[in-house]
Amino acid sequence: MATGATSAEQTGAEENHGPEAVERTKREAAGAGDQKPGQRAEMSNLDIVRFYFDRAVERLELADDIRTVFWEPYREVTVQIPIKRADGQIHVFSGYRIQHNGARGPYKGGVRFHPEVDIDEVRALASLMTWKTAVANVPFGGAKGGVNCPAGEMERSELQSVARSFMDKIEKVLGPTRDIPAPDVNTDAQTMAWMMDEYGKLHGHTPAICTGKPIALEGSWGREQATGRGCVFMFREAAPQIGISPAESTFVVQGYGNVGSWAARIMQQLGSKMVGASDATGAIRSDGGIDADELAGHLREGGKLTEFPGAEVISPDDLLAIECDVLIPAALGGMIHEGNADRIGARVIIEGANSPTTPAADAILHDKDVHVIPDVMANAGGVVASYFEWVQNLQHFRWTEREVNDKLGGIMRRAYRDVSARAKEEQIPLREAAYVVGIERVVEASRTRGYV
Ligand code: NAD
């Protein structure tokens, strides 16, 4: 499964993961403390996304009734997932699939297994997907799913039970032309394979039901790397504008999982040097450089990030303060908040994670002249490659990795240029411009269909 431990591990959640234990883990995760790998923000992910949405709506002067349509999700499904775990007891988890808006195409969005998952978090992530698919200009709407299970502590067979049970419960609202899940935190190609297989039992072999599948099951070359690669395409667009030479740059990654580790490995291919990294277990730094491939290999083989040879163990907050060119937050939401934004030592932030930055932190970063490439465009590479995988699945035809990467580059560059042109035209930050562009496209599609 995904690299590293979950916050359940770092908060020391106990053996029993019934609803009470899950609630306790969430409360513990919400309390700030110096020893924790991440600080929680002053506002929820849903409030963060809605704040940015409202600011763009104001700029677009959208009427209140139209705003209301996009404020709420179109459909919310909550299901019970009872799993008999290795301890012989039934543990009951909650699963959510939320479809925010489908004006531009089938709903699309990842599935997260994490004890902090709750309905508001999934609402936030679903609406972010609506604006993201629109900014990238791929023909999808926005959705998200999640199960509040402690994935990092579960056995593979238990995770398989969660994935299959979740699919069983939500399959009625899914379909290759309705809603197509993908991996997110603590889910991966294997999870998608189980979900596809479960869907196939009811509907026949349907590879286009989810993306991010293994290559052996009609997954796409390049999908696993795509979100990280997309972040790097964004950096390459931004670098000349801010006078950074990628080959001479340094970077830090917060959250060395799928997105973070691939962004790091591809940054390194440009000649950039990683000087700090973290995951749920802790943080490390080395001014001489941390080899991104070797760190990924070390974690793949079961090593702990904090035991990576040659690097100094530091506190997660000190990671953010490292003087470098680029910080890539690639963990959870709300990690950069009003309590730590002032300490950020990077000149550029590329938001690999969803909602890593609160509005208060965003304002502080703006004052510090930090160039922020926001989640809604920066991490769209995953959904773009998912779009390619879906297209290949519908045709039962496979593209080469080169084709995928080239096409991904084309779309990411276009997204950056569309948004930065709008930002320049209206003299606004990239985040506001991205929301403006995304919302405008969704409203146009909704109007053209006659929804609004
Ligand atoms: P992942 O599970 O592979 O990796 C998450 C990483 O974050 C792990 O290394 C984990 O240990 C680390 N982490 C968790 N809590 C942490 C903490 N408190 N401090 C530091 N590190 C911590 O998940 P992923 O798929 O790489 O997703 C990471 C982020 O990127 C999420 O916000 C996700 O929504 C977003 N995202 C993912 C994709 C995708 O294609 N996978 C696409 C777009 C956005």
Side-chain angles (χ1 to χ4, degrees), residues 2-3 5 112 184 186 223 227 256-259 279-280 330-331 335 352 354:
T3 318
R112 178 177 289 201
D184 192 74
N186 289 330
R223 170 61 184 89
T227 309
Y256 212 74
N258 171 289
V259 177
D279 69 5
M335 304 288 280
N354 285 314

Side-chain angles (χ1 to χ4, degrees), residues 51-275:
F51 176 91
Y52 295 135
F53 168 76
D54 263 348
R55 198 169 56 179
V57 160
E58 229 167 85
R59 180 163 292 276
L60 286 166
E61 297 179 358
L62 276 192
D64 274 358
D65 54 344
I66 305 280
R67 170 186 170 277
T68 309
V69 174
F70 302 107
W71 179 260
E72 297 289 345
Y74 165 71
R75 176 163 30 205
E76 303 188 341
V77 180
T78 301
V79 296
Q80 187 194 60
I81 304 187
I83 299 296
K84 190 154 195 169
R85 291 195 59 189
D87 62 7
Q89 288 191 359
I90 295 172
H91 295 248
V92 181
F93 302 112
S94 299
Y96 309 96
R97 185 70 185 172
I98 296 187
Q99 298 167 337
H100 177 260
N101 185 281
R104 302 185 70 262
Y107 300 98
K108 188 87 191 79
V111 171
R112 178 177 289 201
F113 289 175
H114 195 282
E116 285 176 37
V117 163
D118 67 16
I119 194 160
D120 272 350
E121 161 133 318
V122 183
R123 283 181 180 133
L125 293 162
S127 75
L128 193 59
M129 283 304 294
T130 299
W131 317 128
K132 192 183 299 178
T133 52
V135 170
N137 222 348
V138 291
F140 287 133
K144 202 78 183 189
V147 179
N148 64 354
C149 62
E153 300 175 357
M154 294 175 80
E155 290 178 8
R156 189 182 157 90
S157 59
E158 296 173 331
L159 290 167
Q160 177 166 181
S161 301
V162 171
R164 288 187 183 277
S165 174
F166 185 49
M167 176 52 99
D168 276 342
K169 311 274 163 58
I170 62 167
E171 56 83 22
K172 284 186 182 58
V173 299
L174 302 185
T177 58
R178 290 185 186 283
D179 183 356
I180 306 130
D184 192 74
V185 175
N186 289 330
T187 57
D188 59 10
Q190 176 60 77
T191 322
M192 295 303 113
W194 291 324
M195 289 180 71
M196 180 196 79
D197 185 66
E198 198 61 27
Y199 189 86
K201 287 180 187 169
L202 295 159
H203 301 273
H205 181 56
T206 317
I209 185 57
C210 43
T211 57
K213 298 180 297 294
I215 296 297
L217 289 173
E218 296 193 51
S220 174
W221 293 114
R223 170 61 184 89
E224 187 191 323
Q225 300 85 345
T227 309
R229 188 178 299 281
C231 290
V232 181
F233 278 126
M234 290 280 160
F235 173 54
R236 287 170 66 179
E237 285 300 300
Q241 292 181 354
I242 37 190
I244 294 179
S245 155
E248 286 153 28
S249 62
T250 53
F251 67 97
V252 163
V253 175
Q254 180 193 53
Y256 212 74
N258 171 289
V259 177
S261 71
W262 278 113
R265 284 175 268 183
I266 298 163
M267 286 288 281
Q268 189 166 281
Q269 285 165 14
L270 293 183
S272 189
K273 182 168 74 174
M274 181 160 74
V275 289

